[in-house]
Amino acid sequence: MPPSPATPGRESARQGILSMLAAMVLMTVMNALAKHLAAHYPLTEVTFFRNLFALLPAAAMVAAAGGRECLRTGHRLGHLWRAVVGLTSMMLLFWSYHLLPLADAVAISYAAPLFLTALSVPLLGERVGPYRWGAVAVGFAGVLVMVRPGAGMLDPGALVALAAAVAYALAMIAMRQLGRTERPVTTVFYFTVLSTLLSALALPFAWTTPTWPALGLMALMGLAGGGSQYFSTRAYALAPAVVIGPFSYSGLIWAMLLGWLGWGDVPGPAMLAGAGIVVASGLLILLREAQRAKVIPGVIPEAEPIRLPRTGGARPC
């Protein structure tokens, strides 16, 4: 007897998980290239090329989703603010990769959901109950384990990574606000365009002409970053966040692997313990969000996938 076909909801979840795993691999490749390039070129220049070459995947996303219709927006200032805080987060992240081992910087950046939960109260007016506040408190304890504050000053790289996490949380809040009326592909496209233009403003003040091999690495970095955005957007279109979210932490595994292969970095016991606490708290917050949304275990709501255009016309935006 042939096996029964998978239900559409479960198949969407499987595709969503695979998309998130692909997004994390591409993001780690981008991070590793940014760490390598930032050792030889100005940070603003590396950021500019990351955004410039990411325009290609962003344009492909727009074409796949329906073309120019996706570019209509009534929230130009909202997109500008999202680009400013998102670009700030990106530059701080790249800086932290330069100052810290790759896996350490990535682990500290996972504190962003904790800051997002805390900031959503004053900035979005959301209600956070004792369960989620407890998860946030546990997560921040994990952050303290990772950064190990002592009698001396905190490590500058850890402070930069924490600042990047705060900026990323602000960017996520901006995305939540835009998400009430804007499609994800619209937000991704305007972020990439505006970030490219904003980062270009600093080029006259800090520029080192890249060699052809370095330019190739910068192109790969941008394509990987844009591809990561595409696959993560596709993942959340295919399945709920409670299904997809836990797989975003796979990026820490890839960061450890590339950090070891590229720079011989091995995370210490405190970093591993703190990262485990932060990941656990993030999963608790996701679980609570699922309960608040009344997600029934074993039932996966269907979501419309983002499809590439077929011959004869693209999918409407």
Side-chain angles (χ1 to χ4, degrees):
M1 184 177 181
S4 59
T7 62
R10 290 192 180 278
E11 178 61 21
S12 293
R14 186 178 73 87
Q15 293 297 324
I17 290 169
L18 291 175
S19 292
M20 178 54 70
L21 292 174
M24 291 300 100
V25 171
L26 290 172
M27 181 175 293
T28 308
V29 170
M30 178 198 73
N31 294 339
L33 289 171
K35 177 179 177 65
H36 170 73
L37 291 165
H40 307 283
Y41 295 93
L43 186 65
T44 50
E45 184 178 342
V46 173
T47 306
F48 166 75
F49 279 111
R50 183 269 181 226
N51 291 307
L52 178 67
F53 287 106
L55 284 171
L56 295 175
M61 288 178 64
V62 171
R68 293 180 61 183
E69 287 297 318
C70 294
L71 303 183
R72 293 184 178 179
T73 179
H75 301 278
R76 292 181 177 84
L77 289 179
H79 285 291
L80 179 61
W81 169 243
R82 187 267 184 270
V84 169
V85 293
L87 182 62
T88 301
S89 173
M90 184 184 298
M91 293 186 66
L92 289 171
L93 275 173
F94 288 177
W95 190 12
S96 71
Y97 299 151
H98 178 60
L99 297 173
L100 291 172
L102 184 62
D104 291 17
V106 170
I108 295 174
S109 73
Y110 279 128
L114 309 177
F115 291 113
L116 173 60
T117 302
L119 292 173
S120 66
V121 176
L123 298 182
L124 294 177
E126 294 184 359
R127 295 182 61 186
V128 176
Y131 187 100
R132 283 197 291 166
W133 276 126
V136 169
V138 170
F140 281 126
V143 171
L144 291 177
V145 172
M146 287 191 290
V147 300
R148 300 184 298 276
M153 294 180 64
L154 286 171
D155 183 272
L159 291 176
V160 172
L162 283 173
V166 174
Y168 186 74
L170 291 172
M172 292 302 99
I173 287 175
M175 286 185 67
R176 281 191 179 183
Q177 293 170 327
L178 288 169
R180 295 168 181 169
T181 56
E182 304 287 276
R183 295 174 175 85
V185 65
T186 308
T187 303
V188 169
F189 180 80
Y190 280 113
F191 166 73
T192 308
V193 171
L194 291 171
S195 295
T196 302
L197 295 175
L198 290 172
S199 56
L201 296 177
L203 293 180
F205 306 98
W207 172 263
T208 299
T209 302
T211 63
W212 285 110
L215 189 61
L217 292 178
M218 289 178 178
L220 181 59
M221 174 184 60
L223 293 173
S228 176
Q229 284 185 309
Y230 167 78
F231 280 109
S232 61
T233 301
R234 183 175 186 271
Y236 284 107
L238 286 165
V242 68
V243 176
I244 299 301
F247 293 91
S248 65
Y249 292 106
S250 65
L252 184 56
I253 298 173
W254 298 117
M256 289 181 184
L257 179 60
L258 285 184
W260 175 64
L261 291 175
W263 294 272
D265 296 328
V266 178
M271 181 59 63
L272 291 174
I277 295 171
V278 170
V279 169
S281 67
L283 293 176
L284 285 174
I285 291 172
L286 273 175
L287 178 62
R288 187 58 177 172
E289 290 287 350
Q291 292 174 343
R292 291 176 68 247
K294 297 181 180 180
V295 175
I296 303 175
V299 178
I300 302 171
E302 290 190 43
E304 186 179 4
I306 299 173
R307 302 186 185 277
L308 294 175
R310 298 179 179 179
T311 303
R315 174 181 173 272
C317 181

